[in-house]
Amino acid sequence: MTARLQKVPDGFTATFERHYKHTADKVWAYLTDNELLSKWFPELRSGELCIGGSMTFDMGNGTYEVMGISDYEPAAVLEYAWGEDKVRFELEAGPGGSSLRLIETISTITDHTPRDLAGWHVCLDVIEALLEGKGFGNRKHAWEEQYKVYSGLVERMRIS
């Protein structure tokens, strides 16, 4: 399911919603447990999980970006800096599984925005495959397909 991109007073939000046939605890583990996190986002690591704690992004060139956690509720909310922006995961248990909402708050749309959005889209699909015990296939190809979708979405947002 494609994210909703909306104009808000301080920029934009991209909201992804996924429903998983798994408990909130299992989904939460993929967001916070470094062993599971590395399976869907190899560059990302969790540090101390609390408000004021951090996530760390491996830039791939020997440097790391430490991103502060600004909101945290165990098994429910994880929000952290994402460069100049922020990423928020909201997780709710429900009948037959759980619902995950990822909201990226974007201060300014740039040429990199559709790349990030396509990446998040594929990451959420990979989490679902992992939860189901399935392989995902070619992530690069999946990302390229989503990049086309999000490039168009971002371009329409720039025009309006």
Side-chain angles (χ1 to χ4, degrees):
M1 176 183 291
T2 304
R4 286 187 330 272
L5 188 59
Q6 296 177 297
K7 177 84 174 110
V8 294
D10 293 332
F12 302 86
T13 59
T15 304
F16 298 83
E17 295 192 43
R18 295 289 191 279
H19 302 283
Y20 299 117
K21 298 175 191 172
H22 298 274
T23 66
D25 287 340
K26 284 186 180 180
V27 176
W28 187 254
Y30 274 94
L31 301 178
T32 59
D33 179 290
N34 283 327
E35 186 177 322
L36 296 173
L37 189 57
S38 68
K39 293 180 179 186
W40 66 274
F41 203 143
E43 302 83 6
L44 192 61
R45 293 288 174 272
S46 63
E48 187 177 359
L49 294 170
C50 62
I51 295 174
S54 65
M55 302 292 286
T56 302
F57 186 86
D58 182 346
M59 301 298 284
N61 60 5
T63 64
Y64 298 85
E65 182 172 345
V66 177
M67 304 171 297
I69 295 175
S70 53
D71 198 1
Y72 181 81
E73 294 175 36
V77 175
L78 174 62
E79 178 180 275
Y80 51 89
W82 187 255
E84 298 297 315
D85 302 326
K86 67 181 173 181
V87 173
R88 180 180 180 89
F89 293 91
E90 299 175 347
L91 183 60
E92 289 183 33
S98 55
S99 296
L100 178 66
R101 180 178 297 126
L102 184 164
I103 304 163
E104 182 176 0
T105 302
I106 305 164
S107 55
T108 305
I109 297 240
T110 69
D111 291 341
H112 203 269
T113 301
R115 299 175 64 83
D116 278 351
L117 298 179
W120 285 122
H121 186 109
V122 172
C123 283
L124 295 175
D125 289 348
V126 171
I127 289 172
E128 181 172 21
L130 291 167
L131 286 163
E132 296 294 326
K134 300 177 183 174
F136 186 75
N138 188 328
R139 289 186 196 195
K140 184 177 189 303
H141 176 72
W143 179 87
E144 288 168 349
E145 290 300 311
Q146 292 304 320
Y147 177 73
K148 292 175 194 172
V149 171
Y150 287 103
S151 291
L153 189 62
V154 166
E155 189 56 34
R156 285 190 297 280
M157 187 58 66
R158 284 181 170 170
I159 293 170
S160 60

